[in-house]
Amino acid sequence: MAAGKRRELFTILETSADTERDSASDSEESPLNLSTDVKWFEIPFRKPDSDEEEELEEDEEEDEFKSVAAAETADAASYIAGGGCSIILVTDNGIKHEEETEDSYYAPANNCSETTSNDSDIDFSDLEEEQNDLFSPFDDLGEDCTSPDFWGEPDQIISIEPFTAISGPQHALGDEADTRDYFRLLFPDSLFEHMVEQTNNYALYRQRRSGKVDAHWHPTDLREMRAYIGLNILMGINQLPDYGMYWATDIFIGNAGFKKTMTARRFEKLNQNIHLCDRESEPVPGEPGYDGLYKIRPLLDVVQGTMWEAYAPNRCLTVDEGGIAAKGRFSPSQYMPSKPLKKGLKVWMLCDSKSGYCHRASIYVGRPGEDTGAVGYRVVTGLVKGLEGKHHHVFMDSFFTSVPLVQRLLRDGLYACGTTLPTRRGFPEALRLRNVGKLAQGEFFQCQRGNIVATVTRDNKVVSCLSSNSAPGIVGICPSRQRDGAVLGVPRPLPLLLYQENMRGVDLSDQLRECYQVGRPCKKWWRYFLWFYVNVCIVNAYIVLRESRGGAPPPGFSGKQFTQRHFRIRLAQQLIGDYQGARGMERAARKRHADSPVEYGHRLERMSERSRRCRNCTNKGLRHESVFGCKICNVHLCRGGCFSEFHK
């Protein structure tokens, strides 16, 4: 139907380092976040006078286009300049022509209305999610994208509103703020307090359900919970196969800081009892109001709000799927062949294209038999809720992109760009593979409907794109290394270049998060999401600190560069503080009260019904058991002279 012609008027877009910095900044109106080594051409569409002329021109243009694409940048510039063409400039008003002609595709921006396996013992099938347009997401768009006359020639003017919204970190922290202050923006103290309350409640719930008293459990508090999270952060930096090895007696394996903070048994008890919800009021599957994410709902309610408020979204955003490595059989586990993590729990993420800051994350729980187009429509519209009318540019892959979705976003004042499937609803029939035939590398065809441009091109393989933020006919000549090692200039249409430069936000967030894992593998599905959100909050806090301080380290740091590793170590140290668990307090009390243990409350009392080894005899290499001991020191001792000997 419509093709990107390759001969007539070429217009070059000259860029420099200064122009690139201006165009890459989110404060500017131009959507071109592209590298400076790209050579630009504009190829306006011209209808042929007759079918014979079109066939004749195609044969002549093919050879000429290939020669121009393979030429050096200076030769191409001189070739085009010889044709007497104008120059496109990037100015404060966006992209415009130096000489306004009827071939210009950019108009003054006035408005945007132009036209897995389920064999798990965990059941998520009844989960109720927020969904406004799940069953009929395309009924309210007003235009039928499947109509034969919906698409037209790529010769229409597009309108792009400037991005003027406030973006970046949003907080009132001063220059003296440290890592814990930035982490508190994302993970507030109220969440720690809630974890302490529910962990103590769950420990009592387990004892009532089993009918036995856990002699090794005592209620936790806020300081201990912070220290517990801090130790888990350090485990992601100093990784060992088993968490018990951190308390090993081997000087080359054991960690003195871990031993000082709390005992291995106490850490294990916290692992067993940590909880986020009230188990006694948990709804049963099938009941009205059942929530499959009930176990982490208090965490989601707090963290989703803080992530959104701590950092205002920039102009270019990315929507993609993120993976969580999980061991075990869980119904929401998914196979993701395009990700480094092939199988795991899937999370939809909205991230900043430049920094990787995660603004929102939506947990995928699986809906068998649901159309992927409807899933993508629902996910994207849910993630960008609250951005209507702010003219952000949203980039996504072929799982999400569809014509109805691009229409909906454009109607809401948001621009979109992404690859798509040519078989998806509304994609122009003329651009399907059976109609365009075999494409040469760099060859492309386009159709247009208002701001929406459909493109099919061949790079390394055939790629189909949909965009509402790029004019048709604009091509960048990019260097590409061939199989024989030669570097040739390969033409790529603007939608594909924008996609390649900005579709990296979620991948960047995943890279920062996967460098240092938080938490250990377990059998409970909800704990994977707990540690996921803790890790995301750490990454987001690091990004907020880095951008707030302009790359300068926090006060007291003497290194040359403050990296994410330094941020995590410093955060863990501040969370742990001077906390000492039972073992540390036992040693300190023993040292202070050695002269008169009874005066400070140390008495020989019955500890439990079950006898355990005497600590004093064990220290001497003997094996004696007793039901008596010292409750303050939390040790069993023989009724003879072991009590006084131990306290001396």
Side-chain angles (χ1 to χ4, degrees):
M1 172 186 288
K5 296 300 177 180
R6 306 178 294 276
R7 184 172 65 91
E8 280 194 315
L9 176 64
F10 289 79
T11 306
I12 180 172
L13 173 61
E14 296 180 339
T15 60
S16 63
D18 296 334
T19 305
E20 165 59 18
R21 284 193 295 268
D22 295 338
S23 63
S25 174
D26 283 316
S27 62
E28 296 292 336
E29 301 172 3
S30 171
L32 298 177
N33 284 344
L34 301 174
S35 56
T36 58
D37 59 349
V38 177
K39 195 71 175 178
W40 293 99
F41 305 98
E42 181 179 348
I43 311 175
F45 172 76
R46 183 180 67 85
K47 295 182 179 180
D49 297 335
S50 63
D51 295 340
E52 291 78 3
E53 181 182 350
E54 180 180 6
E55 295 177 358
L56 183 60
E57 286 180 354
E58 286 181 353
D59 296 336
E60 296 175 353
E61 291 167 357
E62 183 173 0
D63 297 334
E64 185 174 355
F65 179 71
K66 291 181 179 179
S67 62
V68 173
E72 294 293 332
T73 302
D75 295 337
S78 60
Y79 172 77
I80 295 166
C85 57
S86 61
I87 298 178
I88 301 178
L89 300 177
V90 181
T91 67
D92 294 337
N93 297 325
I95 301 179
K96 69 177 184 179
H97 288 278
E98 188 179 23
E99 299 176 4
E100 295 293 340
T101 65
E102 60 181 4
D103 292 327
S104 176
Y105 290 109
Y106 286 92
N110 297 323
N111 58 74
C112 293
S113 59
E114 189 177 340
T115 32
T116 71
S117 65
N118 293 324
D119 55 350
S120 170
D121 54 349
I122 304 171
D123 183 16
F124 284 87
S125 59
D126 296 329
L127 177 65
E128 294 293 336
E129 290 183 296
E130 294 183 3
Q131 43 184 324
N132 299 326
D133 305 307
L134 176 59
F135 297 103
S136 57
F138 314 133
D139 295 341
D140 60 342
L141 297 177
E143 293 180 308
D144 183 13
C145 59
T146 61
S147 175
D149 56 350
F150 180 83
W151 294 98
E153 305 290 356
D155 55 359
Q156 306 171 37
I157 297 176
I158 72 169
S159 174
I160 300 179
E161 292 280 354
F163 175 75
T164 57
I166 298 175
S167 60
Q170 305 293 315
H171 60 80
L173 298 178
D175 294 337
E176 298 300 320
D178 214 327
T179 54
R180 183 178 167 186
D181 300 316
Y182 288 97
F183 181 70
R184 192 182 287 117
L185 294 174
L186 284 305
F187 207 91
D189 291 339
S190 60
L191 198 50
F192 280 109
E193 296 172 355
H194 179 82
M195 294 172 64
V196 170
E197 178 184 358
Q198 296 303 327
T199 299
N200 290 332
N201 292 342
Y202 180 67
L204 297 177
Y205 169 81
R206 290 186 64 207
Q207 295 179 42
R208 288 196 302 267
R209 189 177 60 178
S210 63
K212 299 179 181 179
V213 178
D214 190 349
H216 299 287
W217 170 258
H218 59 268
T220 184
D221 56 18
L222 184 60
R223 292 184 63 208
E224 186 178 45
M225 184 59 66
R226 288 174 180 162
Y228 170 75
I229 299 296
L231 291 181
N232 277 278
I233 296 174
L234 291 176
M235 286 181 179
I237 299 174
N238 180 21
Q239 300 182 15
L240 293 176
D242 182 73
Y243 75 84
M245 299 178 67
Y246 293 96
W247 286 268
T249 57
D250 192 324
I251 61 174
F252 297 104
I253 298 178
N255 190 302
F258 279 67
K259 298 175 184 179
K260 179 182 177 181
T261 304
M262 66 178 64
T263 62
R265 175 177 289 175
R266 184 57 180 173
F267 186 86
E268 182 181 0
K269 287 298 177 181
L270 289 174
N271 267 343
Q272 292 176 358
N273 296 308
I274 187 171
H275 235 66
L276 298 170
C277 66
D278 186 3
R279 288 297 301 273
E280 294 184 349
S281 60
E282 181 178 1
V284 180
E287 289 184 354
Y290 170 72
D291 185 5
L293 298 177
Y294 173 81
K295 294 183 183 295
I296 58 172
R297 184 60 62 188
L299 174 70
L300 298 179
D301 293 341
V302 175
V303 174
Q304 293 282 29
T306 57
M307 290 167 54
W308 186 255
E309 295 171 358
Y311 192 102
N314 288 315
R315 179 182 57 181
C316 296
L317 303 172
T318 303
V319 174
D320 202 357
E321 59 187 15
I324 305 175
K327 293 184 178 180
R329 295 188 298 112
F330 306 115
S331 60
S333 296
Q334 294 289 312
Y335 177 66
M336 298 169 284
S338 62
K339 294 292 181 180
L341 177 64
K342 301 301 180 183
K343 187 175 182 180
L345 302 175
K346 182 185 292 187
V347 180
W348 311 117
M349 302 174 67
L350 174 68
C351 296
D352 185 80
S353 296
K354 289 174 58 180
S355 65
Y357 182 95
C358 178
H359 298 283
R360 276 183 178 147
S362 176
I363 298 174
Y364 177 74
V365 295
R367 289 183 175 273
E370 188 176 6
D371 178 60
T372 57
V375 174
Y377 186 97
R378 171 172 53 84
V379 169
V380 175
T381 53
L383 290 176
V384 301
K385 183 180 295 184
L387 299 179
E388 294 83 356
K390 296 184 178 180
H391 314 301
H392 292 274
H393 295 245
V394 182
F395 296 86
M396 46 202 165
D397 63 13
S398 59
F399 182 88
F400 306 95
T401 312
S402 64
V403 176
L405 176 59
V406 176
Q407 287 181 285
R408 167 67 182 272
L409 295 178
L410 190 60
R411 188 193 67 182
D412 293 342
L414 298 172
Y415 302 101
C417 179
T419 58
T420 188
L421 300 177
T423 58
R424 188 150 290 173
R425 180 178 184 265
F427 195 78
E429 185 70 24
L431 299 186
R432 306 214 171 176
L433 295 181
R434 62 175 178 269
N435 295 324
V436 298
K438 186 175 182 180
L439 298 175
Q441 188 177 23
E443 186 179 8
F444 70 96
F445 294 89
Q446 292 181 321
C447 293
Q448 187 178 2
R449 170 74 175 192
N451 258 51
I452 305 176
V453 177
T455 305
V456 59
T457 183
R458 182 176 184 84
D459 193 51
N460 293 328
K461 61 180 181 179
V462 178
V463 181
S464 300
C465 302
L466 283 173
S467 63
S468 60
N469 61 348
S470 56
I474 296 182
V475 179
I477 305 299
C478 302
S480 177
R481 186 175 298 275
Q482 305 298 312
R483 293 183 178 180
D484 58 357
V487 178
L488 299 178
V490 177
R492 292 188 179 122
L494 180 58
L496 184 59
L497 287 168
L498 291 176
Y499 175 83
Q500 291 174 335
E501 289 294 328
N502 296 282
M503 187 61 191
R504 58 186 177 184
V506 175
D507 293 336
L508 179 57
S509 178
D510 283 346
Q511 290 173 6
L512 294 173
R513 181 170 50 86
E514 293 294 334
C515 287
Y516 309 101
Q517 285 288 352
V518 178
R520 310 290 297 189
C522 59
K523 296 181 180 179
K524 298 182 179 180
W525 63 268
W526 62 268
R527 291 194 182 178
Y528 288 102
F529 293 113
L530 166 63
W531 298 124
F532 166 79
Y533 277 101
V534 170
N535 213 352
V536 168
C537 288
I538 295 173
V539 172
N540 284 352
Y542 169 67
I543 294 173
V544 172
L545 180 146
R546 184 180 59 189
E547 296 197 6
S548 300
R549 303 184 63 86
F557 180 76
S558 58
K560 294 183 179 180
Q561 185 178 7
F562 190 72
T563 64
Q564 183 191 185
R565 174 170 54 87
H566 297 119
F567 180 89
R568 289 177 179 263
I569 295 175
R570 195 179 182 94
L571 173 62
Q573 291 173 344
Q574 294 178 4
L575 288 175
I576 296 172
D578 58 351
Y579 176 80
Q580 289 184 344
R583 182 70 61 84
M585 291 187 294
E586 169 192 329
R587 291 172 178 170
R590 189 189 311 164
K591 183 178 181 180
R592 289 194 305 267
H593 313 323
D595 296 336
S596 180
V598 177
E599 179 182 350
Y600 292 93
H602 294 258
R603 294 181 177 85
L604 186 66
E605 302 177 71
R606 192 178 187 90
M607 294 286 290
S608 63
E609 297 296 331
R610 182 179 176 182
S611 62
R612 296 189 180 275
R613 296 183 63 176
C614 171
R615 177 66 63 83
N616 188 61
C617 294
T618 301
N619 292 340
K620 295 187 295 184
L622 304 176
R623 182 181 180 90
H624 294 105
E625 295 186 353
S626 174
V627 296
F628 295 93
C630 179
K631 287 189 176 181
I632 292 182
C633 297
N634 194 28
V635 294
H636 284 250
L637 298 168
C638 296
R639 298 186 67 177
C642 288
F643 176 81
S644 58
E645 185 178 349
F646 175 79
H647 286 89
K648 289 181 181 179

